[in-house]
Amino acid sequence: MSASVSDSRPAAPLSARLLAASGGVLAAFAVALSAYAAHAGADPHAQARLQTAAVFAFGHGIALAALAPPSRRALTRGLLGALLLGVIVFAGGLAAAHFFGASTRLVPYGGSLMILAWLGYAIDAMRR
């Protein structure tokens, strides 16, 4: 039996690979953020915010890592890109508020973008 078997499927588009890699980075960020929140002695309010950011980053990171590689349509990748932007604004905004004292005024926009991206993804999935 041959030691190497070639995969006859074409490589995923670069944008799909970047989205999948971003998902992996988000998941790693989430694990680190959750560990920090649990062990750094943050006050309960800050700890809850950081854990919320970690949960959203982890869940959406896994979703991007799983959904992006098989996505062949530009519309699908665009919706996943919107999802990535939404989670960066949402989870990143919560983390930035804790670490840098940044405002959380953009956080709701990130959440709204995630909702719209998921709804768009669902509609796109039904049209394929």
Side-chain angles (χ1 to χ4, degrees):
M1 184 161 228
S2 175
S4 69
V5 176
S6 74
D7 190 352
S8 62
R9 294 177 294 167
L14 177 61
S15 58
R17 294 191 314 257
L18 289 172
L19 285 166
S22 296
V25 171
L26 273 177
F29 167 75
V31 173
L33 189 59
S34 182
Y36 174 85
H39 301 292
D43 68 81
H45 185 262
Q47 190 176 31
R49 267 188 172 178
L50 293 174
Q51 289 293 2
T52 297
V55 165
F56 275 83
F58 188 77
H60 288 84
I62 295 300
L64 286 168
L67 297 174
S71 66
R72 299 287 179 220
R73 293 169 27 119
L75 175 61
T76 305
R77 291 190 307 273
L79 289 165
L80 293 174
L83 187 63
L84 174 61
L85 180 59
V87 76
I88 287 170
V89 172
F90 181 82
L94 291 175
H98 175 75
F99 291 112
F100 307 114
S103 170
T104 58
R105 73 178 181 272
L106 295 179
V107 168
Y109 295 105
S112 296
L113 185 54
M114 286 187 288
I115 293 166
L116 291 173
W118 276 119
L119 290 173
Y121 185 86
I123 291 167
D124 182 50
M126 291 301 294
R127 296 178 73 200
R128 285 184 229 147

